[in-house]
Amino acid sequence: MAVVGRREKAQSLCKSRVVVAITIGILLGCVFALCFPSGFLSISNPAPILNRRFAKSIAQVGSSLCESSERINLLKSEFVATSEKNAELKKLVRELTEKIRLAEQRKDQAEKQVLVLGDQKKAGPFGTVKGLLTNPSVLPDESVNPRLAKILEKVAVNRELIVALANSNVKEMLEVWFANINRVGISNYLVVALDDEIARFCELKNVPVYKRDPNKVIDSVARTGGNHAVSGLKFRVLREFLQLGYSVLLSDVDIVYLQNPFNYLYRDSDVESMTDGHNNMTAYGYNDVFDEPGMGWARYAHTMRIWVYNSGFFYIRPTIPSIELLDRVANRLSKERAWDQAVFNEELFFPSHPGYDGLHASRRTMDFYLFMNSKVLFKTVRKDAKLSKLKPVIVHVNYHPDKYPRMLAIMDFYVNGKQDALKPFPDGSEW
């Protein structure tokens, strides 16, 4: 019995040891599984682990760089958008400032109209009485030319714009003309194309253009006419602009624009024109004494003289006297062999007399140093150190037939700063 008991005890102890060994083995296996999840072989070659960690780090850096690049691009686009908005706001401020100025100007004119056209009043004290220069604008009539009305609605600013008539004979000068207008930053201008070639040319250059409806009489002159013939057409063409209620700065194409002319207009008269005069007397008028010795005591006769307005550059408001002026000039040119500029001035200045009713239109002469003709420039300004430093608004090459090279020289002098650009040209023309 004792032997059997010892044997059972020994077997029981052996089983206990086996269970403990198995338990310890399981525990060690769990520990190794936690410490070395990739197994014992990966310990001897840690490179795959390091490579994976390095690749993971590179991927994180690359992702960060991509995010930074996208952020930079986003910031750039936001900066560009902000700059554009800032430019638009500046432009809007300028436009609003100009509108306020014009509104104040028109308010002042309207108040004067009320004073003159209202109830009859007694004259004020000595030196305080002033007449009215500014006639009221006509009521716009879009039925006159609906197609032109739509164009003007898009092009005009404050119901005013620059208008030039052109055919293919002046294509070279026209390109210089609108290039300088664009450079100065003028947007409210329009070319009235007198033939298909000029219409296509303007469209190609993104220049605002208006091609009139066919008219046998006008189109015949437009296609084949020279400068004077084409110049005579403008009085007929401009009438529709005025009827539609727009003020027009009529411009020949032999003009170099150096500043925006709308910033220098008074707008207080029916017609505001540049002059062919070359000094204060000839531009603004003077008392010219005519001497006739045979009259003895009455030998001296005083005459009032002024050099003519230039019909190639004038600002005309949409008033009844303005439209009457255009009608008078166009009517006379259709019946007479006359120069349009001469007729334009005769109708503006001749007074009423027996058999003739004068035109009651108000007029203003532009500053001849700002709105400069080519005689003033080549005969006086370029030779004077002080005057040559002044920057005119426009220069009109009206006194010289070699227009295109002089226009280029004027650009070189005033725009490109070439001080000797005007020197090769004579004061006058060489026929």
Side-chain angles (χ1 to χ4, degrees), residues 21-64:
I22 290 171
T23 302
I24 292 172
I26 291 171
L27 290 173
L28 289 174
C30 291
V31 171
F32 279 109
L34 290 171
C35 295
F36 305 102
S38 300
F40 288 106
L41 294 176
S42 63
I43 299 174
S44 61
N45 185 19
I49 296 174
L50 293 175
N51 287 340
R52 282 196 298 273
R53 290 177 180 172
F54 182 72
K56 186 177 179 181
S57 299
I58 293 296
Q60 291 174 347
V61 171
S63 176
S64 178

Side-chain angles (χ1 to χ4, degrees), residues 90-161:
K90 286 182 178 178
K91 183 180 178 181
L92 182 61
V93 168
R94 287 196 300 269
E95 290 177 354
L96 288 174
T97 302
E98 179 64 14
K99 286 182 178 179
I100 291 171
R101 186 183 69 81
L102 288 174
E104 291 175 349
Q105 188 180 67
R106 287 166 181 159
K107 177 186 175 184
D108 181 56
Q109 293 170 357
E111 288 175 350
K112 290 179 181 178
Q113 287 178 1
V114 170
L115 290 174
V116 175
L117 301 176
D119 296 334
Q120 287 182 310
K121 296 182 178 181
K122 294 180 180 179
F126 178 82
T128 65
V129 178
K130 289 188 177 181
L132 180 67
L133 284 176
T134 310
N135 284 302
S137 298
V138 298
L139 187 67
D141 182 8
E142 292 190 3
S143 66
V144 171
N145 191 331
R147 185 165 66 90
L148 178 60
K150 290 181 180 179
I151 294 173
L152 296 182
E153 189 177 350
K154 294 178 181 178
V155 174
V157 175
N158 298 323
R159 298 193 71 82
E160 58 186 11
L161 72 161

Side-chain angles (χ1 to χ4, degrees), residues 281 284-292 299-307:
M281 288 176 58
Y284 309 136
Y286 63 103
N287 181 2
D288 183 37
V289 180
F290 177 76
D291 184 10
E292 190 177 2
R299 65 181 292 181
Y300 298 112
H302 290 256
T303 68
M304 301 306 299
R305 297 189 63 182
I306 183 172
W307 285 32

Side-chain angles (χ1 to χ4, degrees), residues 138 239 242-243 316-328:
V138 298
R239 193 187 204 279
L242 299 194
Q243 283 182 277
I316 186 166
R317 295 179 55 251
T319 66
I320 293 298
S322 296
I323 294 174
E324 184 183 359
L325 170 66
L326 298 181
D327 288 351
R328 286 185 178 215

Side-chain angles (χ1 to χ4, degrees), residues 140 146 184 234 258 277 394-395:
V184 172
K234 61 195 171 197
L258 302 169
I394 59 105
V395 178

